[in-house]
Amino acid sequence: MMADGAADTNAEGWALCPVTPGFVAHIGPFWEGRPARGGGYGGWVRAFVADERHLAAGGQIHTSVLAAFAELVCLRAISDEGVPESEAVLLNLSLNHLGSGPRGTLVQGEARLIRRNWSQLVTEFRIHDGDRPLAAGSALWSLAGA
């Protein structure tokens, strides 16, 4: 992936991440892969390159962008476990803002499903720039129709 937001799908195993149409599509495009150095959870890593749309007045990535990205990362982790994204409804997102970055930051997110019962799912996530944590937290999901 290149710093300007374009991706070389042969570089480090990154490919375009599919996204369901809706609000989160406004902050993409997103990329996904399993970088050679591996993710903290050992699974897929999702990413985007911060541009002017993502910045707060001070020139750093806005917390609401990190929250929307966290939701996407968790939803994709649920999908990775075989649950259709259309069946998961977000009930609560708990986000601890740990840092930020300027335009051009490669924001990476990882999540995993940590609990599942007949009607609810719990995911945990971490968002970082490769070296520094930007956000961490968890999300509670309801399964539609359960």
Side-chain angles (χ1 to χ4, degrees), residues 36-79:
R37 66 188 178 117
Y41 293 141
W44 289 94
V45 176
R46 274 68 190 207
F48 73 95
V49 178
D51 63 32
E52 293 79 17
R53 299 171 299 146
H54 305 118
L55 305 181
Q60 296 291 304
I61 300 167
H62 199 285
T63 303
S64 63
V65 172
L66 296 177
F69 182 58
E71 181 179 352
L72 169 76
V73 169
C74 289
L75 191 58
R76 295 296 299 150
I78 289 168
S79 178

Side-chain angles (χ1 to χ4, degrees), residues 79-129:
S79 178
D80 293 342
E81 294 293 327
V83 177
E85 290 183 12
S86 61
E87 291 184 16
V89 178
L90 183 65
L91 297 177
N92 184 60
L93 178 72
S94 175
L95 181 137
N96 297 305
H97 188 183
L98 305 172
S100 196
R103 179 185 181 279
T105 299
L106 176 61
V107 179
Q108 300 174 59
E110 304 165 68
R112 65 181 178 156
L113 181 62
I114 60 171
R115 187 172 306 132
R116 180 180 186 171
N117 64 28
W118 67 275
S119 65
Q120 292 183 330
L121 307 168
V122 178
T123 54
E124 67 179 10
F125 65 87
R126 66 185 200 97
I127 298 173
H128 54 89
D129 69 2

